[in-house]
Amino acid sequence: MKKLKRSGRLVDMTHFLLQHPHEIVSLTHFSERYQAAKSSISEDLVIIKDMFEEEGYGALVTIPGASGGVKFMPKMNKQEAEQLIGELVQALNKQERILPGGYLYMMDLLGNPKLMHKVGRLFAAVLADKEIDAVMTVATKGIPLAYAVGHYLGVPVSIVRRDHRITEGSMVSINYASGSSDRIQTMTLARRSLAPGSKVFIVDDFMKAGGTLRGMVDLLEEFEADLVGIGVLVESAEVSERLVDDYLSLTKLTNVNVREKVIDVTEGNILTKLETS
Amino acid sequence: MKKLKRSGRLVDMTHFLLQHPHEIVSLTHFSERYQAAKSSISEDLVIIKDMFEEEGYGALVTIPGASGGVKFMPKMNKQEAEQLIGELVQALNKQERILPGGYLYMMDLLGNPKLMHKVGRLFAAVLADKEIDAVMTVATKGIPLAYAVGHYLGVPVSIVRRDHRITEGSMVSINYASGSSDRIQTMTLARRSLAPGSKVFIVDDFMKAGGTLRGMVDLLEEFEADLVGIGVLVESAEVSERLVDDYLSLTKLTNVNVREKVIDVTEGNILTKLETS
């Protein structure tokens, strides 16, 4: 790369950092890339850091020592988070979403990559200081969420399957009780798709009693993996007994009546977990 | 937002443009956001444009007129594209990937959001000048690819399903012949998940004879939607008759022998479609 002025470096470094969340980048990397002194690079990074932190895009953390450098940790400020939750609540509060069984049609939201990216950034903001090695979800509708969170945390995604059309080599299966129907079902994860001992954040689009999430938590044990937390786009409040305790929810379905076409969605608990910075 | 110097504006504008691919952003948006004259904003954009185009991150196109502004179109230069394809070819050429039936284990690649983002950017680069309204794929393994492409093109994703555990309201189903087995199968898409008349790019992780892709092309007709193109991560060259004609492939599986554990993957055709800029 040719020698650049500060203005060019700022554009290029911003681009680079955004594409490498939660990775430690050495100052040497930048100083070689731009043929610039480390002192100039440090000054550039201060400008980026100030801007990112002021607007709540994320933190730029300096890691000292020989293997040190800077790490970009995506964040979201309270105002942007409130606006995002507000948009979701408004979008969900539409009676035409109501499906038989009290489910909600959500593919228009889940099918929107920009919205999913924002949701992923909000989860990543709340989880920024946790040690996480992988994001797990169950096919199909949790996948967009899982990739968005995985992207902003810089970690891989493991996809649990409920079907048997599987071409992924040796698999680990467990049985679990779907909370709503008490029906025994099977879920499966490829042996190679999660490293033993991983610290895992689990996500799904919708949680009723939490049977599917409970199944995934149980599946972690088979991989000697640890649960870091659970996140859902929508939790349903209409359950007598919840099979998981601790979770982050973006929105909460407090009332749905299929016959009378009534729906009531409010904000979930995630805003209370967002550090005010 | 408080008044910023050029250096701060460059960081913030770079961040904003990267999060809004293929959207027209008016100069007024930026000049109000930074309380800066449009002439200053134009100068900022020239700096960003030069940097993006020099490094091949994308084009910054000026749209004239009252509803005009700038549009960021993600791109990838030849060198980065060749490196990405090279990495994929190397990663795929491992005999431990071979699964019964001549399938390949690929979840480690598909489960890597950063890699998927790069692949999405490469597809978006090749497709930058096409008019595309949606990306379609089939659950499960095509989904990561579809979201990455959808993100960089700024369009929604439609997920076709092969199972029947579906809570998405009224559905459109078609039968299709899986090319490899000639077995008749069913695929389904929620009526609400694709707007009639959409121009659609279809992606999948793996293509043998192309029966599943052919099914999706046929499904488009039910939505009066048009096919813009097809993209796959891996095409298998070992087929006597292909059910789709025109497609982009990142890699090509030229030989796989389950018994002798031989695998041979080379580059696909996508590099020949990438404009040299």
Side-chain angles (χ1 to χ4, degrees), chain B residues 17-28:
Chain B
L17 290 167
L18 290 174
Q19 297 211 317
H20 297 83
H22 282 270
E23 275 181 41
I24 297 174
V25 188
S26 70
L27 290 198
T28 312

Side-chain angles (χ1 to χ4, degrees), chain A residues 66 82 128 139 147 155 169 184 193 198 224 242 244 251 257-259:
Chain A
E82 280 168 358
Y147 273 83
V155 300
I184 297 296
S193 241
S198 295
E224 291 168 37
R242 185 90 65 191
V244 294
T251 61
N257 186 316
V258 179
R259 188 196 291 247

Side-chain angles (χ1 to χ4, degrees), chain A residues 97-124:
Chain A
R97 294 196 178 277
I98 303 173
L99 297 172
Y103 288 93
L104 300 188
Y105 180 78
M106 302 202 293
M107 268 314 296
D108 57 330
L109 306 177
L110 297 171
N112 179 338
K114 195 164 76 174
L115 180 65
M116 287 301 104
H117 264 72
K118 276 192 198 165
V119 168
R121 187 151 65 88
L122 176 51
F123 275 118

